Amino acid sequence: MSDNFAEGSNKDTNSSSLLKLEDVWKIYQMGETEFAALKGIDLTISKGEFVIILGPSGSGKSTLMNLLGCLDIPSKGTVFLNGKDISHLGESELATIRGQMIGFIFQQFNLIPTLNTIENVMLPLEFQNADPSSAKKKAAELLDLVGLSEKARNLPSQLSGGQRQRVAIARSLAVDPDIILADEPTGNLDSKTGTYILDFLYDLHKKEGKTIIIVTHDVTLVRYAERVVHIRDGLVESIEERQNN
Amino acid sequence: MRNSNYLKMALSILLHSKIRSWLTIIGIVIGVGAVVGIMSLSENMQKDMEERLSEMDLTAITISPGSSRAMMSMGPGGGGGGGSSASSEDTNLTKKDIMALKSVDGIQYMYGQISGQEDVYFLGEEAELSITGVDPQVWQYSTTDTVESGRLLEPSDNYVAVIGSGVAEDVFDNEVGLNQVLTIAGKSVRVVGILESEGGSGDNSIIMPIDAAVTLIEDAEPDVFDTIVVKAESMDIAENVSAEIEEKLMLSRHVTEKDQDFSVSTSASMVETASEMMESMTLFLAAIAGVSLVVGAVGIANTMFTSVMEKTREIGTMKAIGATNKDILMIFMMNSALVGFVGGILGVIVGSMVTALFPLLGMQMMGGSVSVGLSPTLTAFGLSIAVAVGVISGVVPAFQASRMKPVDALRYE
Ligand SMILES: Nc1ncnc2c1ncn2[C@@H]1O[C@H](COP(=O)(O)OP(=O)(O)OP(=O)(O)O)[C@@H](O)[C@H]1O
Ligand SMILES: [Mg+2]
């Protein structure tokens, strides 16, 4: 069903727009009071872009990221994926979209602690009912790509932070998604490892044309980006186009 | 996700779970152990009962003094069993009662029988044994006992005895052989026959002609009996004969149903009483089993709730990378079923150990030996119960896990 989303269609004027947010609000209800974490965001991300969303803590970056990643739906406004409105979809349809089109990388790595490295990488394929032997083959290739073939049987707890994040990258690539979303991917890593991770993602973007969206408050990462979206208090403050290499 | 993948995920969770969470399966282990134990017990006792029923003389009717209904003295008419020796102080069965019953139709024969515990000496050793005095005229026809060697009692016998195999082999250091002499209450009693082993209390008793036994057993008087054994002409009329005996005796003894001072029971009714007793015991054990299973279910549910809580972020992660609600539900249900399965395996082991202990717990008092071991059907049944309990306990926690919103789950610290 999500092929509809993958292939894109009709309606949207800009054919290259992959994700489009129109006047998106996210309002959290906390007992009596309401809190607007996003207050009317307009943002378009095109296929094959490398975008960094930058902003101070509490500005609403992760909230925005959840909407871009189809993990949540807006309180108000519309989110388009490949030209199709996904703002009102149910959880199972969103799960299918996420499972087939989006790869996630988290600050805390979020590997499944009871599964070993290769099983973690296979997991997104298993959720898509992939054939076990081809899933295993694909996972082994991806582990090789991130240089962790010899750790295939190790549990996450037996890996360093940088190694865990490389496993997480391999996992995010398992279903060959169009979009890679990373929330503070270098937040728990030293600068050398962080650089390795960013270089790796940049390579993917250059060689395979993946759309990469990184959320961070680390300004040193902007050098990788083609576009930097500055967020403050739930609003887009400015968008900075960069000439890269 | 494929079923094999659910199983893999569930197994990986199970294998990495904390020892603490394993403690909660004790309930299900006990529950399944009890269920399996009970069923195996009643299965074996059933078999045992049927076996004994088949070799029992169903034409035998036993009359004992005292109002208590059929005591658990199995083997009436078997001769060796002896009756309830001291069931009542002031009511006796006498020759008069036998006379009163002469007119009852359908009786093949009847005789009075006495029994008591006396010190028996053999080659300088002493042992207290049960002595039963029977009518030598008819006992040889009415008993179901068979001799291993020697003979049964004959009408002309006096101070002679037929002994159980236990008396012959086990009671004294020296084996008691045919024609050897026991000393009871100062009298010499010659052994003329040794019975085949039956595996019951009858193996340790001595059977003598009643006229001789009266002189040996303290408190015994001539023509006063502990039991009157009646043999009906056929098994079909045994119940009717028994009812008529009861009626006649009430008349002759001037008692009513309220102050009835004797009891009449057929072999069949004794078997019935025994199986009733067995049933109520089974029911009691089943109640214990039921309670343990409920406790086990609550234990597993508790563990599952804790596990779901602890794995909130993992659940969020799995949902982010494409797990549907159904995937999450299945993983946790499978996990819970596996916990039940493991509990079931341990329960079946416990159950078979308990079954093995039955014979040591004095279950022989119910008669012969209770065989040991669990049948494959019972094992499968125990495991199925355990898995079912696991699945039932897992439903709510697994559902709760499946309904978590991915965003909230990912934010969970
Ligand atoms: N589930 C929620 N319920 C209530 N308030 C929330 C919730 N999620 C986020 N918020 C609030 O929304 C605002 C934006 O949160 P968000 O997590 O998007 O910030 P962020 O930019 O990612 O910050 P950081 O850099 O610290 O991760 C914060 O003020 C936060 O308290
Ligand atoms: Mg954040």
Side-chain angles (χ1 to χ4, degrees):
Chain A
M1 56 150 288
S2 70
D3 294 66
N4 297 348
F5 300 100
E7 271 149 32
S9 55
N10 50 33
K11 281 182 73 171
D12 205 313
T13 44
N14 184 354
S15 61
S16 72
S17 107
L18 181 63
L19 278 161
K20 187 171 179 189
L21 275 58
E22 277 179 6
D23 190 27
V24 161
W25 289 68
K26 187 72 203 182
I27 298 161
Y28 291 113
Q29 197 80 41
M30 292 175 301
E32 300 282 286
T33 59
E34 288 186 341
F35 178 81
L38 299 179
K39 304 167 182 166
I41 301 269
D42 289 301
L43 180 65
T44 305
I45 292 170
S46 308
K47 199 165 167 49
E49 260 196 299
F50 195 123
V51 179
I52 284 186
I53 296 170
L54 197 66
S57 182
S59 56
K61 302 184 299 289
S62 294
T63 306
L64 178 58
M65 157 108 175
N66 290 339
L67 293 170
L68 293 170
C70 303
L71 285 165
D72 206 355
I73 51 175
S75 311
K76 264 195 284 185
T78 319
V79 179
F80 294 100
L81 175 64
N82 276 332
K84 196 168 172 189
D85 183 359
I86 60 160
S87 328
H88 305 290
L89 293 185
E91 171 52 29
S92 73
E93 289 156 308
L94 291 175
T96 311
I97 294 175
R98 294 194 297 265
Q100 297 182 348
M101 293 191 62
I102 301 167
F104 286 91
I105 299 170
F106 304 92
Q107 178 173 1
Q108 312 283 354
F109 322 129
N110 288 23
L111 299 176
I112 305 300
T114 54
L115 298 179
N116 66 30
T117 301
I118 193 158
E119 287 167 340
N120 263 288
V121 178
M122 284 164 69
L123 198 51
L125 287 165
E126 291 176 345
F127 286 130
Q128 299 309 314
N129 277 323
D131 164 66
S133 63
S134 67
K136 192 155 210 164
K137 193 161 155 270
K138 175 83 182 178
E141 282 168 22
L142 288 168
L143 276 185
D144 195 37
L145 190 69
V146 297
L148 284 174
S149 291
E150 78 280 12
K151 301 283 186 190
R153 306 271 155 221
N154 289 62
L155 289 174
S157 59
Q158 298 164 329
L159 301 179
S160 73
Q163 287 170 333
R164 286 182 213 184
Q165 199 60 302
R166 279 147 71 191
V167 175
I169 291 176
R171 180 179 68 183
S172 75
L173 296 171
V175 297
D176 206 8
D178 292 339
I179 307 165
I180 306 274
L181 277 178
D183 191 351
E184 303 277 10
T186 59
N188 279 10
L189 302 174
D190 62 47
S191 62
K192 191 161 155 272
T193 321
T195 303
Y196 170 90
I197 300 288
L198 259 293
D199 284 344
F200 190 92
L201 291 175
Y202 189 75
D203 253 26
L204 277 174
H205 159 68
K206 276 286 170 211
K207 287 183 186 148
E208 304 190 24
K210 300 245 182 255
T211 308
I212 310 252
I213 305 170
I214 295 176
V215 164
T216 185
H217 62 254
D218 182 354
V219 290
T220 65
L221 300 185
V222 299
R223 63 196 155 96
Y224 291 95
E226 292 164 353
R227 219 146 56 103
V228 181
V229 179
H230 293 268
I231 300 272
R232 187 173 292 273
D233 290 336
L235 283 166
V236 177
E237 192 180 47
S238 63
I239 296 180
E240 168 192 357
E241 303 277 346
R242 288 175 58 95
Q243 231 43 50
N244 232 316
N245 307 345
Chain B
M1 212 179 197
R2 287 155 191 258
N3 285 337
S4 58
N5 288 327
Y6 293 139
L7 187 64
K8 191 178 84 178
M9 291 293 290
L11 257 178
S12 83
I13 295 173
L14 191 75
L15 293 177
H16 289 93
S17 55
K18 302 189 184 88
I19 292 177
R20 162 170 61 81
S21 63
W22 282 111
L23 292 178
T24 55
I25 71 168
I26 286 176
I28 196 154
V29 172
I30 294 174
V32 169
V35 167
V36 162
I38 290 160
M39 296 194 56
S40 156
L41 174 66
S42 52
E43 216 172 64
N44 283 323
M45 295 218 294
Q46 193 90 27
K47 237 187 280 164
D48 185 57
M49 194 76 80
E50 273 161 22
E51 226 163 71
R52 260 146 19 88
L53 206 58
S54 67
E55 66 193 28
M56 200 176 253
D57 179 8
L58 289 176
T59 59
I61 298 166
T62 309
I63 307 166
S64 357
S67 58
S68 56
R69 287 281 295 150
M71 319 275 301
M72 277 308 300
S73 60
M74 298 300 290
S84 38
S85 43
S87 54
S88 173
E89 318 83 44
D90 45 9
T91 66
N92 282 316
L93 296 171
T94 63
K95 195 123 198 164
K96 251 171 64 190
D97 296 307
I98 291 188
M99 296 313 288
L101 295 178
K102 285 275 192 236
S103 62
V104 176
D105 283 335
I107 293 181
Q108 201 177 343
Y109 50 73
M110 60 184 147
Y111 63 89
Q113 177 173 302
I114 59 170
S115 55
Q117 298 284 124
E118 288 299 326
D119 289 336
V120 177
Y121 299 85
F122 178 67
L123 296 180
E125 276 183 85
E126 178 192 336
E128 198 182 76
L129 294 172
S130 143
I131 295 169
T132 306
V134 298
D135 185 340
Q137 305 263 6
V138 289
W139 178 70
Q140 55 179 313
Y141 305 111
S142 70
T143 185
T144 52
D145 292 337
T146 47
V147 282
E148 168 114 33
S149 58
R151 59 172 176 82
L152 292 173
L153 297 177
E154 282 168 6
S156 58
D157 278 336
N158 207 352
Y159 285 95
V160 301
V162 170
I163 61 175
S165 65
V167 180
E169 287 159 24
D170 303 328
V171 173
F172 301 104
D173 286 345
N174 295 301
E175 206 169 299
V176 183
L178 280 181
N179 291 319
Q180 288 191 297
V181 174
L182 302 169
T183 309
I184 308 170
K187 293 268 191 193
S188 296
V189 176
R190 191 167 55 90
V191 174
V192 296
I194 296 168
L195 297 174
E196 269 176 17
S197 171
E198 291 209 305
S201 57
D203 281 357
N204 278 346
S205 67
I206 295 174
I207 297 149
M208 295 180 62
I210 188 162
D211 294 338
V214 163
T215 66
L216 303 185
I217 297 173
E218 227 186 326
D219 300 336
E221 292 167 42
D223 298 336
V224 174
F225 311 118
D226 289 322
T227 321
I228 295 175
V229 178
V230 179
K231 198 165 157 65
E233 274 164 2
S234 82
M235 166 176 130
D236 306 328
I237 60 167
E239 278 302 325
N240 289 339
V241 171
S242 158
E244 204 176 325
I245 287 172
E246 198 153 358
E247 231 167 78
K248 276 266 154 61
L249 280 184
M250 280 202 280
L251 274 177
S252 75
R253 292 173 75 95
H254 307 293
V255 294
T256 62
E257 239 166 81
K258 275 201 190 116
D259 56 352
Q260 190 177 340
D261 57 355
F262 65 94
S263 62
V264 183
S265 53
T266 59
S267 298
S269 75
M270 282 188 176
V271 171
E272 222 164 79
T273 314
S275 52
E276 266 163 29
M277 207 174 95
M278 205 176 83
E279 245 163 55
S280 57
M281 196 164 82
T282 307
L283 216 64
F284 172 69
L285 291 173
I288 294 180
V291 169
S292 320
L293 283 178
V294 170
V295 170
V298 172
I300 293 183
N302 184 53
T303 310
M304 291 305 295
F305 274 121
T306 314
S307 166
V308 164
M309 272 273 271
E310 286 170 351
K311 294 185 186 303
T312 299
R313 232 140 88 83
E314 287 167 51
I315 293 165
T317 305
M318 289 194 278
K319 289 197 152 189
I321 64 175
T324 59
N325 289 2
K326 184 198 160 209
D327 289 335
I328 303 294
L329 183 81
M330 287 300 289
I331 288 168
F332 282 96
M333 289 285 279
M334 197 73 95
N335 181 224
S336 185
L338 276 179
V339 172
F341 184 72
V342 172
I345 290 178
L346 296 177
V348 165
I349 292 171
V350 167
S352 55
M353 285 190 326
V354 170
T355 312
L357 285 178
F358 284 151
L360 307 179
L361 293 175
M363 286 299 166
Q364 304 100 313
M365 117 193 156
M366 304 291 296
S369 53
V370 177
S371 70
V372 177
L374 286 186
S375 66
T377 345
L378 210 49
T379 306
F381 180 71
L383 289 180
S384 316
I385 287 187
V387 171
V389 169
V391 168
I392 291 168
S393 336
V395 171
V396 179
F399 184 71
Q400 185 186 307
S402 77
R403 294 302 296 266
M404 283 179 184
K405 287 177 67 183
V407 194
D408 297 337
L410 280 169
R411 284 173 56 92
Y412 186 84
E413 299 294 327

